[in-house]
Coordinates of all heavy atoms in Angstrom, one line a residue:
V12 N -49.6 21.4 58.9 CA -50.6 21.0 60.0 C -50.1 19.7 60.6 O -49.8 18.8 59.9 CB -52.0 20.9 59.3 CG1 -53.0 20.4 60.4 CG2 -52.5 22.1 58.7
I13 N -50.2 19.7 61.9 CA -49.8 18.5 62.6 C -51.1 17.9 63.2 O -51.8 18.6 64.0 CB -48.7 18.7 63.7 CG1 -47.5 19.2 63.0 CG2 -48.5 17.5 64.5 CD1 -46.3 19.5 64.0
Y14 N -51.4 16.7 62.9 CA -52.6 16.0 63.5 C -52.2 15.2 64.7 O -51.0 15.0 65.0 CB -53.2 15.1 62.4 CG -53.6 15.8 61.2 CD1 -52.8 15.9 60.0 CD2 -54.8 16.5 61.2 CE1 -53.2 16.6 58.9 CE2 -55.2 17.3 60.0 CZ -54.4 17.3 58.9 OH -54.8 18.0 57.8
R15 N -53.2 14.7 65.4 CA -52.9 13.9 66.6 C -52.2 12.6 66.1 O -52.4 12.1 65.0 CB -54.2 13.5 67.2 CG -54.9 14.7 67.9 CD -56.1 14.3 68.6 NE -57.0 13.4 67.8 CZ -58.1 12.9 68.1 NH1 -58.6 13.2 69.3 NH2 -58.8 12.2 67.2
P16 N -51.4 12.0 67.0 CA -50.7 10.8 66.6 C -51.6 9.6 66.5 O -52.7 9.6 67.1 CB -49.7 10.6 67.8 CG -50.3 11.3 68.9 CD -51.1 12.4 68.3
N17 N -51.2 8.6 65.7 CA -52.0 7.4 65.6 C -51.7 6.6 66.9 O -51.0 7.0 67.8 CB -51.6 6.6 64.4 CG -50.2 6.1 64.3 OD1 -49.5 6.1 65.3 ND2 -49.8 5.7 63.1
S18 N -52.3 5.4 67.0 CA -52.1 4.6 68.2 C -50.7 4.1 68.5 O -50.4 3.7 69.6 CB -53.1 3.4 68.2 OG -52.8 2.6 67.0
F19 N -49.8 4.3 67.5 CA -48.4 4.0 67.8 C -47.6 5.2 68.2 O -46.4 5.2 68.4 CB -47.8 3.4 66.5 CG -48.4 2.1 66.1 CD1 -49.2 2.0 65.0 CD2 -48.1 0.9 66.8 CE1 -49.8 0.8 64.6 CE2 -48.7 -0.3 66.5 CZ -49.5 -0.3 65.4
G20 N -48.3 6.4 68.2 CA -47.6 7.6 68.6 C -46.9 8.3 67.4 O -46.1 9.2 67.6
I21 N -47.2 7.9 66.2 CA -46.6 8.5 65.0 C -47.5 9.5 64.4 O -48.7 9.3 64.2 CB -46.2 7.3 64.0 CG1 -45.4 6.3 64.7 CG2 -45.6 7.9 62.8 CD1 -45.1 5.1 63.8
H22 N -46.9 10.6 64.0 CA -47.7 11.7 63.5 C -47.6 11.7 61.9 O -46.6 11.4 61.4 CB -47.1 13.1 63.9 CG -47.3 13.3 65.4 ND1 -48.4 14.0 65.9 CD2 -46.6 13.0 66.4 CE1 -48.3 14.1 67.2 NE2 -47.2 13.5 67.6
D23 N -48.7 12.2 61.3 CA -48.7 12.5 59.9 C -48.2 11.4 59.0 O -47.4 11.5 58.1 CB -47.9 13.8 59.5 CG -48.4 15.0 60.3 OD1 -49.6 15.0 60.5 OD2 -47.6 15.9 60.6
T24 N -48.8 10.2 59.1 CA -48.3 9.0 58.3 C -49.1 8.9 57.1 O -48.7 8.4 56.1 CB -48.4 7.7 59.1 OG1 -49.7 7.6 59.6 CG2 -47.5 7.7 60.3
V25 N -50.4 9.3 57.1 CA -51.3 9.2 55.9 C -51.0 10.3 54.9 O -50.9 11.5 55.3 CB -52.7 9.1 56.3 CG1 -53.6 9.1 55.1 CG2 -53.0 8.0 57.2
G26 N -50.8 10.0 53.7 CA -50.6 11.0 52.7 C -49.1 11.4 52.5 O -48.8 12.4 51.9
N27 N -48.3 10.7 53.1 CA -46.8 10.9 53.1 C -46.2 9.9 52.1 O -46.8 9.6 51.1 CB -46.3 10.8 54.5 CG -45.0 11.6 54.7 OD1 -44.2 11.8 53.8 ND2 -44.9 12.1 55.9
V28 N -45.0 9.5 52.5 CA -44.4 8.4 51.7 C -44.2 7.2 52.5 O -44.2 7.2 53.7 CB -43.0 8.9 51.2 CG1 -43.1 10.1 50.2 CG2 -42.1 9.3 52.3
A29 N -44.1 6.0 51.8 CA -43.8 4.8 52.5 C -42.3 4.9 53.0 O -41.5 5.6 52.4 CB -44.0 3.6 51.5
E30 N -42.0 4.1 54.0 CA -40.7 4.2 54.7 C -39.8 3.2 54.2 O -40.0 2.0 54.3 CB -41.0 4.1 56.2 CG -39.7 4.2 57.0 CD -40.0 4.0 58.5 OE1 -41.1 3.8 58.9 OE2 -39.0 4.1 59.3
L31 N -38.6 3.6 53.7 CA -37.6 2.8 53.3 C -36.8 2.3 54.6 O -36.4 3.2 55.3 CB -36.6 3.5 52.4 CG -35.4 2.7 51.8 CD1 -35.9 1.6 51.0 CD2 -34.4 3.6 51.1
C32 N -36.7 1.0 54.8 CA -36.1 0.5 56.0 C -34.8 -0.2 55.6 O -34.5 -0.6 54.5 CB -37.0 -0.5 56.7 SG -38.6 0.2 57.2
R33 N -33.9 -0.4 56.7 CA -32.7 -1.0 56.5 C -32.8 -2.5 56.5 O -31.9 -3.3 56.1 CB -31.7 -0.6 57.6 CG -30.3 -1.0 57.4 CD -29.3 -0.3 58.3 NE -29.6 -0.6 59.7 CZ -28.9 -0.1 60.7 NH1 -27.9 0.7 60.4 NH2 -29.2 -0.3 61.9
D34 N -33.9 -3.1 56.9 CA -34.1 -4.5 57.0 C -34.1 -5.2 55.6 O -34.6 -4.6 54.7 CB -35.5 -4.8 57.6 CG -35.6 -4.6 59.1 OD1 -34.5 -4.4 59.7 OD2 -36.7 -4.6 59.6
G35 N -33.5 -6.3 55.6 CA -33.6 -7.1 54.4 C -35.0 -7.7 54.2 O -35.7 -7.9 55.2
F36 N -35.5 -7.8 53.0 CA -36.8 -8.3 52.7 C -36.8 -9.8 52.8 O -36.4 -10.5 51.8 CB -37.3 -7.8 51.4 CG -38.8 -8.1 51.2 CD1 -39.8 -7.4 51.8 CD2 -39.1 -9.1 50.3 CE1 -41.1 -7.7 51.6 CE2 -40.5 -9.4 50.1 CZ -41.5 -8.7 50.7
E37 N -37.1 -10.4 54.0 CA -37.1 -11.8 54.2 C -38.4 -12.2 54.8 O -39.2 -11.4 55.3 CB -36.0 -12.1 55.2 CG -34.6 -11.7 54.7 CD -34.1 -12.4 53.5 OE1 -34.6 -13.5 53.2 OE2 -33.2 -11.9 52.8
H38 N -38.6 -13.5 54.8 CA -39.8 -14.1 55.4 C -39.7 -13.9 56.9 O -38.5 -13.9 57.4 CB -40.0 -15.6 55.1 CG -40.2 -15.9 53.6 ND1 -41.5 -15.6 53.1 CD2 -39.5 -16.3 52.6 CE1 -41.4 -15.9 51.8 NE2 -40.2 -16.3 51.5
Y39 N -40.8 -13.8 57.6 CA -40.7 -13.7 59.1 C -40.2 -14.9 59.8 O -39.9 -14.9 60.9 CB -42.1 -13.3 59.6 CG -42.5 -11.8 59.3 CD1 -43.6 -11.5 58.6 CD2 -41.7 -10.8 59.7 CE1 -43.9 -10.2 58.3 CE2 -42.0 -9.5 59.5 CZ -43.1 -9.2 58.8 OH -43.5 -7.9 58.5
T40 N -40.1 -16.0 59.1 CA -39.5 -17.2 59.7 C -38.0 -17.1 59.8 O -37.4 -17.9 60.5 CB -39.9 -18.5 58.8 OG1 -39.4 -18.3 57.5 CG2 -41.4 -18.7 58.8
E41 N -37.4 -16.2 59.1 CA -35.9 -16.0 59.2 C -35.5 -15.4 60.5 O -36.3 -14.7 61.1 CB -35.4 -15.1 58.1 CG -35.6 -15.6 56.7 CD -34.6 -16.7 56.3 OE1 -33.4 -16.6 56.8 OE2 -35.0 -17.6 55.6
S42 N -34.4 -15.7 61.0 CA -33.9 -15.2 62.3 C -33.5 -13.7 62.1 O -32.8 -13.3 61.1 CB -32.7 -16.0 62.8 OG -33.1 -17.3 63.0
S43 N -33.8 -12.9 63.1 CA -33.4 -11.5 63.1 C -32.0 -11.4 63.9 O -31.6 -12.3 64.6 CB -34.4 -10.6 63.7 OG -34.7 -11.0 65.1
L44 N -31.4 -10.3 63.7 CA -30.1 -10.0 64.4 C -30.4 -9.8 65.9 O -31.3 -9.2 66.3 CB -29.4 -8.8 63.8 CG -29.0 -8.9 62.4 CD1 -28.4 -7.6 61.8 CD2 -28.0 -10.0 62.2
P45 N -29.5 -10.3 66.8 CA -29.6 -10.1 68.2 C -29.6 -8.6 68.6 O -28.9 -7.8 67.9 CB -28.5 -10.9 68.8 CG -27.6 -11.3 67.7 CD -28.3 -11.0 66.4
L46 N -30.3 -8.3 69.6 CA -30.3 -6.9 70.2 C -31.2 -5.9 69.4 O -31.9 -5.1 69.9 CB -28.9 -6.4 70.5 CG -28.0 -7.2 71.4 CD1 -26.7 -6.6 71.5 CD2 -28.7 -7.3 72.8
T47 N -31.0 -5.9 68.1 CA -31.7 -4.9 67.3 C -33.0 -5.4 66.6 O -33.9 -4.6 66.3 CB -30.9 -4.4 66.1 OG1 -30.6 -5.5 65.2 CG2 -29.6 -3.8 66.6
G48 N -33.1 -6.7 66.4 CA -34.3 -7.3 65.7 C -34.3 -7.1 64.2 O -35.2 -7.4 63.5
E49 N -33.2 -6.5 63.7 CA -33.1 -6.2 62.3 C -33.0 -7.5 61.5 O -32.3 -8.4 61.9 CB -31.8 -5.3 62.1 CG -31.6 -4.9 60.7 CD -30.4 -4.0 60.5 OE1 -29.9 -3.5 61.5 OE2 -29.8 -4.0 59.4
M50 N -33.6 -7.5 60.3 CA -33.5 -8.6 59.4 C -32.2 -8.4 58.6 O -32.1 -7.4 58.0 CB -34.7 -8.7 58.5 CG -36.0 -9.0 59.3 SD -36.0 -10.6 60.2 CE -36.0 -11.8 58.8
P51 N -31.3 -9.4 58.6 CA -30.1 -9.2 57.9 C -30.3 -9.2 56.4 O -31.2 -9.8 55.8 CB -29.3 -10.5 58.3 CG -30.3 -11.5 58.7 CD -31.5 -10.7 59.2
M52 N -29.4 -8.5 55.7 CA -29.4 -8.4 54.2 C -28.9 -9.7 53.7 O -27.9 -10.3 54.2 CB -28.6 -7.3 53.7 CG -29.1 -5.9 54.1 SD -30.5 -5.6 53.0 CE -29.7 -5.0 51.6
K53 N -29.5 -10.2 52.6 CA -29.0 -11.4 51.9 C -28.3 -11.0 50.7 O -28.3 -9.8 50.4 CB -30.2 -12.4 51.6 CG -30.9 -12.8 52.9 CD -30.1 -13.8 53.7 CE -30.9 -14.3 54.9 NZ -30.5 -15.4 55.5
A54 N -27.9 -11.9 49.9 CA -27.1 -11.5 48.6 C -28.0 -10.8 47.6 O -27.5 -10.0 46.8 CB -26.6 -12.8 48.0
H55 N -29.3 -10.9 47.7 CA -30.2 -10.2 46.7 C -30.3 -8.7 46.9 O -30.8 -8.0 46.1 CB -31.5 -10.9 46.6 CG -32.2 -10.9 48.0 ND1 -32.7 -9.8 48.6 CD2 -32.5 -12.0 48.8 CE1 -33.3 -10.2 49.7 NE2 -33.2 -11.5 49.9
L56 N -30.0 -8.2 48.1 CA -30.0 -6.8 48.4 C -31.4 -6.2 48.3 O -31.6 -5.0 47.9 CB -29.0 -6.0 47.6 CG -27.6 -6.4 47.8 CD1 -26.7 -5.5 46.9 CD2 -27.1 -6.2 49.2
F57 N -32.4 -6.9 48.6 CA -33.8 -6.5 48.5 C -34.1 -6.0 49.9 O -33.9 -6.7 50.9 CB -34.7 -7.6 48.2 CG -35.8 -7.3 47.2 CD1 -35.7 -6.5 46.1 CD2 -37.1 -7.8 47.5 CE1 -36.7 -6.2 45.3 CE2 -38.2 -7.5 46.6 CZ -38.0 -6.7 45.5
V58 N -34.6 -4.7 50.1 CA -34.9 -4.1 51.4 C -36.4 -3.9 51.6 O -37.2 -4.0 50.6 CB -34.2 -2.8 51.6 CG1 -32.7 -3.0 51.6 CG2 -34.6 -1.8 50.6
V59 N -36.8 -3.7 52.8 CA -38.2 -3.5 53.1 C -38.7 -2.1 53.0 O -38.0 -1.1 53.3 CB -38.5 -4.0 54.6 CG1 -39.9 -3.7 55.0 CG2 -38.2 -5.5 54.7
V60 N -39.9 -1.9 52.4 CA -40.6 -0.6 52.4 C -41.8 -0.9 53.3 O -42.6 -1.8 53.0 CB -40.9 -0.2 51.0 CG1 -41.8 1.1 51.1 CG2 -39.7 0.1 50.2
R61 N -42.0 -0.1 54.3 CA -43.2 -0.3 55.2 C -44.1 0.9 55.1 O -43.7 2.0 54.8 CB -42.7 -0.4 56.7 CG -41.9 -1.6 56.9 CD -41.6 -1.8 58.4 NE -40.7 -2.9 58.6 CZ -41.0 -4.2 58.7 NH1 -42.3 -4.5 58.5 NH2 -40.1 -5.1 58.9
G62 N -45.4 0.6 55.4 CA -46.4 1.6 55.3 C -47.0 1.8 53.9 O -46.9 0.9 53.1
S63 N -47.5 3.0 53.7 CA -48.1 3.3 52.4 C -47.8 4.7 52.1 O -47.2 5.4 52.9 CB -49.6 3.0 52.4 OG -50.2 3.7 53.4
S64 N -48.3 5.2 50.9 CA -47.9 6.6 50.5 C -49.2 7.3 50.0 O -50.3 6.7 49.9 CB -46.8 6.6 49.5 OG -47.4 6.1 48.2
F65 N -48.9 8.5 49.5 CA -50.0 9.3 48.9 C -50.6 8.7 47.7 O -51.7 9.0 47.3 CB -49.5 10.7 48.6 CG -48.3 10.7 47.6 CD1 -48.6 10.7 46.2 CD2 -47.0 10.6 48.0 CE1 -47.6 10.7 45.3 CE2 -46.0 10.6 47.1 CZ -46.3 10.6 45.7
K66 N -49.9 7.7 47.1 CA -50.3 7.1 45.8 C -51.3 5.9 46.1 O -52.0 5.5 45.2 CB -49.1 6.6 45.0 CG -49.4 6.2 43.6 CD -48.1 5.9 42.9 CE -48.4 5.5 41.5 NZ -47.2 5.2 40.7
H67 N -51.3 5.4 47.3 CA -52.2 4.3 47.7 C -53.6 4.7 47.8 O -53.9 5.9 48.2 CB -51.7 3.6 48.9 CG -50.4 2.9 48.8 ND1 -49.2 3.5 48.9 CD2 -50.2 1.6 48.5 CE1 -48.3 2.6 48.7 NE2 -48.9 1.4 48.4
T68 N -54.5 3.8 47.6 CA -55.9 4.1 47.8 C -56.2 4.1 49.3 O -55.4 3.6 50.1 CB -56.8 3.0 47.2 OG1 -56.6 1.8 47.8 CG2 -56.6 2.9 45.7
A69 N -57.3 4.6 49.7 CA -57.7 4.7 51.2 C -57.7 3.3 51.7 O -57.3 3.0 52.9 CB -59.0 5.4 51.4
L70 N -58.2 2.3 51.0 CA -58.3 0.9 51.5 C -56.9 0.3 51.7 O -56.7 -0.4 52.6 CB -59.1 0.1 50.5 CG -59.3 -1.4 50.9 CD1 -60.2 -1.4 52.1 CD2 -60.0 -2.1 49.7
A71 N -55.9 0.7 50.8 CA -54.6 0.1 50.9 C -53.7 1.0 51.8 O -52.6 0.5 52.1 CB -54.0 0.0 49.5
N72 N -54.1 2.1 52.3 CA -53.3 3.0 53.1 C -53.3 2.5 54.6 O -54.2 2.8 55.3 CB -53.9 4.4 53.0 CG -52.8 5.4 53.3 OD1 -51.9 5.2 54.0 ND2 -53.0 6.6 52.8
R73 N -52.3 1.8 54.9 CA -52.2 1.2 56.2 C -50.7 1.1 56.7 O -49.8 0.9 55.9 CB -52.8 -0.1 56.3 CG -52.4 -1.1 55.3 CD -53.2 -2.4 55.2 NE -52.2 -3.4 55.2 CZ -52.2 -4.5 56.1 NH1 -53.1 -4.6 56.9 NH2 -51.3 -5.4 56.0
S74 N -50.5 1.3 57.9 CA -49.1 1.3 58.5 C -48.5 0.0 58.4 O -47.3 -0.2 58.5 CB -49.1 1.9 59.9 OG -49.9 1.1 60.7
A75 N -49.3 -1.1 58.4 CA -48.8 -2.5 58.4 C -48.4 -3.0 57.0 O -47.9 -4.1 56.9 CB -49.8 -3.4 59.0
G76 N -48.5 -2.1 56.0 CA -48.1 -2.6 54.7 C -46.6 -2.9 54.6 O -45.8 -2.2 55.3
R77 N -46.2 -3.9 53.8 CA -44.8 -4.2 53.7 C -44.6 -4.8 52.3 O -45.2 -5.7 51.8 CB -44.5 -5.3 54.7 CG -43.1 -5.9 54.7 CD -43.0 -6.9 55.8 NE -41.7 -7.5 55.8 CZ -41.4 -8.7 55.2 NH1 -42.3 -9.3 54.6 NH2 -40.2 -9.2 55.2
I78 N -43.6 -4.2 51.6 CA -43.2 -4.6 50.2 C -41.7 -4.6 50.2 O -41.1 -4.1 51.1 CB -43.8 -3.8 49.1 CG1 -43.3 -2.4 49.2 CG2 -45.3 -3.9 49.1 CD1 -43.7 -1.5 47.9
G79 N -41.1 -5.1 49.1 CA -39.7 -5.1 49.0 C -39.3 -4.3 47.8 O -40.1 -4.1 46.8
T80 N -38.1 -3.7 47.8 CA -37.6 -2.9 46.7 C -36.0 -2.9 46.8 O -35.5 -3.4 47.8 CB -38.1 -1.5 46.7 OG1 -37.7 -0.8 45.5 CG2 -37.5 -0.7 47.9
Y81 N -35.4 -2.5 45.7 CA -34.0 -2.3 45.7 C -33.6 -0.9 46.4 O -34.3 0.1 46.0 CB -33.4 -2.4 44.3 CG -33.6 -3.8 43.8 CD1 -34.6 -4.1 42.8 CD2 -32.7 -4.8 44.1 CE1 -34.7 -5.3 42.3 CE2 -32.9 -6.1 43.6 CZ -33.9 -6.3 42.7 OH -34.0 -7.6 42.2
P82 N -32.7 -0.8 47.3 CA -32.4 0.4 48.0 C -31.9 1.5 47.1 O -32.1 2.7 47.4 CB -31.3 0.0 49.0 CG -30.7 -1.2 48.5 CD -31.8 -1.9 47.7
H83 N -31.4 1.2 45.9 CA -30.9 2.3 45.0 C -32.0 2.7 44.0 O -31.7 3.6 43.2 CB -29.7 1.8 44.2 CG -30.0 0.5 43.4 ND1 -29.9 -0.7 44.0 CD2 -30.3 0.4 42.1 CE1 -30.2 -1.6 43.1 NE2 -30.5 -1.0 41.9
K84 N -33.2 2.1 44.0 CA -34.2 2.5 43.1 C -34.9 3.8 43.5 O -35.4 3.9 44.6 CB -35.2 1.4 43.0 CG -36.4 1.6 42.1 CD -37.4 0.5 42.1 CE -38.6 0.8 41.3 NZ -39.7 -0.1 41.5
A85 N -35.0 4.7 42.6 CA -35.6 6.0 42.9 C -37.1 5.8 42.7 O -37.6 5.2 41.8 CB -35.2 7.1 41.9
D86 N -37.9 6.3 43.7 CA -39.4 6.2 43.7 C -39.9 7.3 44.5 O -39.6 7.5 45.7 CB -39.8 4.8 44.3 CG -41.3 4.5 44.2 OD1 -42.1 5.5 44.1 OD2 -41.6 3.4 44.2
P87 N -40.8 8.2 43.9 CA -41.3 9.3 44.6 C -42.3 9.0 45.7 O -42.6 9.8 46.5 CB -42.0 10.1 43.5 CG -42.4 9.1 42.5 CD -41.3 8.1 42.5
T88 N -42.7 7.7 45.8 CA -43.6 7.3 46.9 C -42.9 6.7 48.1 O -43.5 6.2 49.0 CB -44.6 6.3 46.4 OG1 -44.0 5.1 46.0 CG2 -45.4 6.9 45.2
V89 N -41.5 6.6 48.0 CA -40.7 6.0 49.1 C -39.7 7.0 49.6 O -39.1 7.7 48.8 CB -40.0 4.7 48.5 CG1 -39.1 4.1 49.6 CG2 -41.0 3.7 48.1
G90 N -39.6 7.0 50.9 CA -38.6 8.0 51.5 C -38.2 7.5 52.9 O -38.5 6.4 53.3
L91 N -37.6 8.4 53.6 CA -37.2 8.2 55.0 C -38.2 8.9 55.9 O -38.9 9.9 55.6 CB -35.8 8.8 55.2 CG -34.7 8.2 54.3 CD1 -33.5 9.0 54.6 CD2 -34.6 6.8 54.5
R92 N -38.3 8.4 57.1 CA -39.2 9.0 58.1 C -38.3 9.5 59.2 O -38.0 8.7 60.2 CB -40.2 7.9 58.6 CG -41.4 8.6 59.4 CD -42.5 7.6 59.7 NE -42.9 6.8 58.5 CZ -43.8 7.2 57.6 NH1 -44.3 8.5 57.7 NH2 -44.2 6.4 56.6
P93 N -37.9 10.7 59.2 CA -37.0 11.2 60.2 C -37.8 11.3 61.6 O -39.0 11.6 61.6 CB -36.6 12.6 59.7 CG -37.6 13.0 58.7 CD -38.2 11.7 58.2
V94 N -37.0 11.1 62.6 CA -37.6 11.2 64.0 C -36.7 12.0 64.8 O -35.5 12.2 64.5 CB -37.8 9.8 64.6 CG1 -38.7 9.0 63.8 CG2 -36.5 9.1 64.7
R95 N -37.2 12.5 65.9 CA -36.4 13.2 66.9 C -36.9 12.9 68.3 O -38.1 12.6 68.4 CB -36.4 14.7 66.6 CG -37.7 15.4 66.9 CD -37.6 16.9 66.6 NE -38.9 17.5 66.6 CZ -39.4 18.2 67.6 NH1 -38.7 18.3 68.7 NH2 -40.6 18.7 67.6
L96 N -36.1 13.0 69.2 CA -36.4 12.7 70.6 C -37.2 13.9 71.1 O -36.7 15.1 71.0 CB -35.2 12.4 71.4 CG -35.4 12.1 72.9 CD1 -36.2 10.8 73.0 CD2 -34.0 11.9 73.6
L97 N -38.3 13.7 71.7 CA -39.1 14.8 72.3 C -38.7 15.0 73.8 O -38.5 14.0 74.5 CB -40.6 14.5 72.2 CG -41.1 14.4 70.8 CD1 -42.6 14.0 70.9 CD2 -41.0 15.7 70.1
D98 N -38.5 16.2 74.2 CA -38.2 16.5 75.6 C -39.4 16.2 76.4 O -40.6 16.5 76.0 CB -37.8 17.9 75.8 CG -36.5 18.3 75.1 OD1 -35.7 17.4 74.9 OD2 -36.4 19.4 74.7
E99 N -39.2 15.6 77.6 CA -40.4 15.2 78.4 C -40.6 16.3 79.5 O -39.8 17.0 79.9 CB -40.2 13.9 79.1 CG -40.2 12.8 78.0 CD -40.2 11.4 78.6 OE1 -40.7 11.2 79.7 OE2 -39.7 10.5 78.0

């Protein structure tokens, strides 16, 4: 079942997995890379997980959630969010 998109235009975000990102887990005061806005990886190799998953409570289930994890750590609540370009 596909539901209507949220206000960001993203479909089916609730009840899914949190999104593993390529960004390094840094404070927002750190400088991002030019052109992409990506946060660079530091020596600790801690990456960002954004959003929430099926394991979170309704109160904690929000797209603005942000935690850090190691990219090689297996976790059933964390995954990738594939996207595709829609024809207009």
